[in-house]
Amino acid sequence: MLNINPVYTKSWNILLNHFNKIKKKDIFYFFNKDKNRFKNFSIFYKKLILFDFSKNLINNKTIKLFINFLNEINFKYYINGILKGKILNITEKKIISNFLLRDVDNYFIKNNYLNNKLLIEKKNIDKNLCKIKKITYEILNNIWLSFNNKKIFNIVNIGIGGSDLGPRMIVKSLYLYKKKNINSFFVSNLDINDINSVLNLISPENTIFIVCSKSFTTQETLLNFKIARDWILKFYNNNILSLNKHFILVTSNLNNSLKYNIIRNNIILVNDWVGGRYSFCSAFGLSISLSIGFKNFVKILKGCHDLDKHFFFTKYNKNIPILLSLISIWYNNFFCYTNELVMVYNESMFLFPYYLQQLVMESNGKCIDKNNDLINYNTSPILFGGLGTISQHSFFQLLHQGTNVIPCDFIIESNFKNNNNKYNSYYKLFSNLIAQSQCLAFGDNIFLNIKKNNFSKFKNIKGNKPNNIFLIKKINPYTLGTLISIYEYKVFTQGIIWNICSYDQWGVNLGKNLSNFVYKLYFKNKNIKKNRYFLDNSSLSLIKIFKNFNK
């Protein structure tokens, strides 16, 4: 059974009946019912990551019924489709083979999983990996020098969306692994203040720009590229040859990238099926390799690769991304809890929720299914995130006593032995995470002897707010790659269940096209057929006032 509305399946209706039977049970009830609740509802991955999903409104039957649902929709077909290079991205007619980008030990080749088509794709990936290794070695070892033979130690990644958020988040998260002689910068905003704030900190003769755009038509990336290009040319008295020492382009569109006088050897061509928000394992991750070193970059790939195998070959009831996705669907589609929260309790990981926002909402924010039909059920939840304990003093009040129930994922590392200080800050940090998880799940019921009749209603915290915990032994390149892949496959699984295509983003394109029209017509005075577009009087008035403000 393929490409079917999930609510019309037999298993979905059985799940709905099950939901109606247990929806009034609370998390406290499930713990009292099962004295081995934690053991039965947690998974240890390679003794490096613990996934605790015990504080959820589920029981063993819930998981069993969801597995029956996955079997009914033939979920295995889609897993095999990835491995066989089937066109699963049907709206763009492309394969979904991100696992090839991180098959660093050629596991899938050695075990004969790849057909001839995927073997060809893998050859280009391996070729690009060799380029990343070579460029990283040459820059970090002062072999690749500037046009006037100065050391390169400023790396500026120019991109937007996936070609910015992924590398930016990873470099920030792995700051402990950063090369000491390298400064990493990221530019993405159309606001010129973004790139100017970076250029004011660096010198042209010590800088290389990594320009990442799959199509090489992205307006934000091209504008910032042109500003950086002019900046370099000005420094070298418009010597066009200087560009080849200061720019590397990463793209899938060779023709567009060749227009800017960069030699072919400085252009890395990425497989055209690599989606932006899934692209950091490709050459779009060059800035990661330059920042933390090629060996650590490969460790990220290895973490992703091992999770690929876990997802492909582990039974559904022990499969972390599948369980994570099913729990999310349980709340989103049955309880109608349409928001999700990701809380990170390590300062270095503060960008992780922002990265997930794009991964989740750009992938699954769809209202049309694969059959081109309007959807009559919830798809992507609204995802937001924060940093503990800062967020506890801002929006956690709503989590505990607000009218909306927002399921939460907590993420923290336990590598405190290297952070031993007299203030015990890391133990206090972990204590806060545990306390918040307990308060959300059990509320003031956590205090067993409390006298409720003398307890002000203003202070009452009911609890029963579900949450998961990822306890990571140490945040390092390998475990970070693993964690990212868990959420990637969560998104993939949900997209299959919701019968939507998770790998396109047509909703983004309309705004891009219209912005070009507005710019050309009202600011460049180009002759465009106005009757092809509708501009409301609000927009027209705002354009007029904007112009008046700038006179």
Side-chain angles (χ1 to χ4, degrees):
M1 185 177 291
L2 302 174
N3 297 348
I4 188 169
N5 185 319
V7 302
Y8 296 152
T9 63
K10 180 179 178 181
S11 299
W12 192 272
N13 286 318
I14 294 174
L15 274 164
L16 185 59
N17 290 332
H18 171 66
F19 164 73
N20 288 325
K21 290 179 181 178
I22 72 166
K23 64 181 179 181
K24 293 185 179 180
K25 307 291 185 184
D26 59 24
I27 297 173
F28 212 92
Y29 164 85
F30 290 116
F31 272 85
N32 284 332
K33 194 78 173 175
D34 181 3
K35 300 304 178 184
N36 294 313
R37 177 80 178 174
F38 171 76
K39 181 180 179 181
N40 294 331
F41 291 84
S42 64
I43 296 173
F44 228 140
Y45 178 80
K46 295 183 179 291
K47 297 182 179 180
L48 295 174
I49 298 178
L50 172 68
F51 173 48
D52 173 16
F53 57 104
S54 59
K55 298 186 185 77
N56 280 292
L57 297 161
I58 60 173
N59 57 21
N60 286 319
K61 187 175 182 180
T62 313
I63 295 173
K64 182 180 179 181
L65 292 178
F66 264 118
I67 291 172
N68 291 341
F69 171 78
L70 291 177
N71 290 329
E72 183 178 351
I73 66 171
N74 196 7
F75 185 69
K76 194 68 178 176
Y77 166 87
Y78 297 98
I79 293 178
N80 291 334
I82 295 174
L83 289 168
K84 293 178 180 178
K86 291 184 179 294
I87 304 296
L88 296 182
N89 180 355
I90 58 173
T91 59
E92 296 179 319
K93 296 181 172 56
K94 293 177 181 178
I95 61 175
I96 301 170
S97 297
N98 301 308
F99 75 101
L100 289 178
L101 298 170
R102 49 256 199 145
D103 187 13
V104 289
D105 57 6
N106 289 322
Y107 172 88
F108 293 100
I109 293 178
K110 294 173 183 176
N111 290 277
N112 298 316
Y113 282 104
L114 305 187
N115 55 30
N116 289 334
K117 178 182 177 181
L118 293 185
L119 284 171
I120 293 171
E121 299 290 336
K122 183 70 165 60
K123 285 181 180 179
N124 186 59
I125 291 167
D126 291 343
K127 181 181 176 182
N128 283 350
L129 195 60
C130 289
K131 286 184 179 180
I132 293 172
K133 182 179 182 180
K134 182 175 184 291
I135 292 169
T136 302
Y137 178 81
E138 290 181 351
I139 291 177
L140 295 186
N141 289 279
N142 303 320
I143 297 170
W144 183 313
L145 299 173
S146 69
F147 190 63
N148 59 355
N149 293 317
K150 296 294 179 67
K151 291 180 181 179
I152 298 289
F153 51 79
N154 296 317
I155 311 299
V156 182
N157 187 93
I158 296 179
I160 197 166
S163 55
D164 169 75
L165 280 169
R168 186 194 292 255
M169 178 273 293
I170 290 170
V171 170
K172 174 62 178 175
S173 298
L174 299 176
Y175 77 98
L176 290 175
Y177 298 84
K178 197 168 175 297
K179 295 296 179 181
K180 293 181 180 179
N181 60 331
I182 292 295
N183 302 315
S184 299
F185 302 92
F186 293 87
V187 173
S188 61
N189 205 325
L190 199 58
D191 184 346
I192 197 170
N193 290 308
D194 187 17
I195 190 167
N196 281 345
S197 66
V198 172
L199 298 183
N200 288 336
L201 296 174
I202 59 180
S203 58
E205 60 186 351
N206 305 116
T207 301
I208 192 165
F209 295 89
I210 314 299
V211 185
C212 300
S213 175
K214 187 176 174 182
S215 64
F216 231 78
T217 59
T218 311
Q219 63 171 333
E220 296 92 343
T221 302
L222 288 187
L223 177 68
N224 286 319
F225 170 39
K226 290 171 183 176
I227 293 170
R229 186 175 179 272
D230 290 345
W231 186 68
I232 291 291
L233 286 173
K234 181 180 179 181
F235 182 80
Y236 289 111
N237 298 315
N238 289 317
N239 189 331
I240 207 78
L241 296 176
S242 66
L243 299 176
N244 297 319
K245 288 293 186 176
H246 294 273
F247 287 92
I248 295 173
L249 313 184
V250 185
T251 183
S252 294
N253 193 325
L254 180 61
N255 290 334
N256 282 358
S257 59
L258 285 172
K259 298 175 182 178
Y260 297 94
N261 299 111
I262 306 296
I263 58 173
R264 174 64 182 86
N265 197 48
N266 281 27
I267 301 172
I268 306 178
L269 282 180
V270 176
N271 305 57
D272 69 351
W273 46 263
V274 176
R277 55 195 175 276
Y278 301 90
S279 66
F280 72 89
C281 290
S282 71
F284 285 111
L286 176 58
S287 60
I288 302 172
S289 182
L290 290 169
S291 297
I292 64 174
F294 181 75
K295 288 184 179 179
N296 283 322
F297 179 66
V298 171
K299 287 178 183 177
I300 297 173
L301 302 185
K302 186 67 166 65
C304 295
H305 170 62
D306 286 347
L307 200 283
D308 290 335
K309 292 187 286 186
H310 170 83
F311 177 71
F312 292 152
F313 307 124
T314 303
K315 291 182 179 179
Y316 296 157
N317 65 334
K318 297 295 181 182
N319 196 306
I320 296 174
I322 287 178
L323 289 171
L324 192 63
S325 68
L326 297 181
I327 291 168
S328 175
I329 284 175
W330 183 236
Y331 297 126
N332 188 45
N333 292 94
F334 291 86
F335 283 89
C336 291
Y337 301 157
T338 56
N339 296 274
E340 287 183 356
L341 172 67
V342 175
M343 280 298 305
V344 290
Y345 274 70
N346 294 87
E347 181 72 26
S348 65
M349 292 278 287
F350 82 95
L351 288 176
F352 189 68
Y354 295 97
Y355 170 76
L356 290 184
Q357 284 179 333
Q358 186 201 21
L359 178 66
V360 171
M361 293 192 284
E362 190 167 85
S363 296
N364 287 339
K366 312 290 169 64
C367 63
I368 302 295
D369 70 10
K370 292 178 182 176
N371 300 314
N372 208 29
D373 293 329
L374 187 66
I375 289 172
N376 59 344
Y377 46 86
N378 291 333
T379 56
S380 177
I382 299 167
L383 186 143
F384 69 107
L387 184 66
T389 59
I390 296 171
S391 299
Q392 293 172 199
H393 293 267
S394 58
F395 56 78
F396 263 53
Q397 169 62 35
L398 182 144
L399 299 184
H400 289 297
Q401 290 187 307
T403 55
N404 294 306
V405 176
I406 303 176
C408 177
D409 291 350
F410 290 100
I411 300 171
I412 193 170
E413 74 168 340
S414 62
N415 185 43
F416 300 150
K417 63 182 180 181
N418 294 326
N419 298 293
N420 189 21
N421 62 61
K422 65 179 181 179
Y423 304 108
N424 292 318
S425 61
Y426 283 85
Y427 298 116
K428 292 177 181 177
L429 186 68
F430 184 66
S431 298
N432 269 269
L433 180 147
I434 293 297
Q436 292 300 323
S437 173
Q438 284 186 303
C439 288
L440 287 170
F442 307 115
D444 49 46
N445 289 316
I446 201 75
F447 298 105
L448 300 177
N449 297 320
I450 197 169
K451 295 180 180 179
K452 291 292 181 73
N453 56 343
N454 294 325
F455 199 51
S456 169
K457 289 183 179 179
F458 292 111
K459 297 180 181 179
N460 181 240
I461 300 175
K462 294 181 179 180
N464 209 34
K465 310 293 174 63
N467 60 87
N468 302 304
I469 295 177
F470 282 102
L471 178 58
I472 303 170
K473 185 174 182 180
K474 182 181 181 182
I475 294 173
N476 58 32
Y478 181 88
T479 56
L480 182 60
T482 301
L483 186 65
I484 293 169
S485 290
I486 286 172
Y487 280 94
E488 282 185 357
Y489 284 119
K490 173 191 175 183
V491 168
F492 171 83
T493 301
Q494 289 180 313
I496 299 302
I497 291 173
W498 287 323
N499 192 31
I500 57 178
C501 187
S502 300
Y503 293 85
D504 62 30
Q505 54 279 329
W506 301 109
V508 178
N509 295 334
L510 176 60
K512 288 181 179 179
N513 294 334
L514 188 55
S515 68
N516 286 330
F517 161 74
V518 171
Y519 172 69
K520 290 177 181 178
L521 181 60
Y522 293 99
F523 297 100
K524 296 294 287 185
N525 298 317
K526 289 196 175 182
N527 187 20
I528 296 175
K529 294 181 180 179
K530 295 182 183 180
N531 59 2
R532 291 182 58 196
Y533 300 90
F534 168 73
L535 270 179
D536 57 280
N537 56 20
S538 169
S539 299
L540 290 170
S541 298
L542 286 167
I543 290 169
K544 183 178 179 180
I545 295 170
F546 177 86
K547 286 183 174 181
N548 287 335
F549 277 171
N550 285 277
K551 284 183 178 179

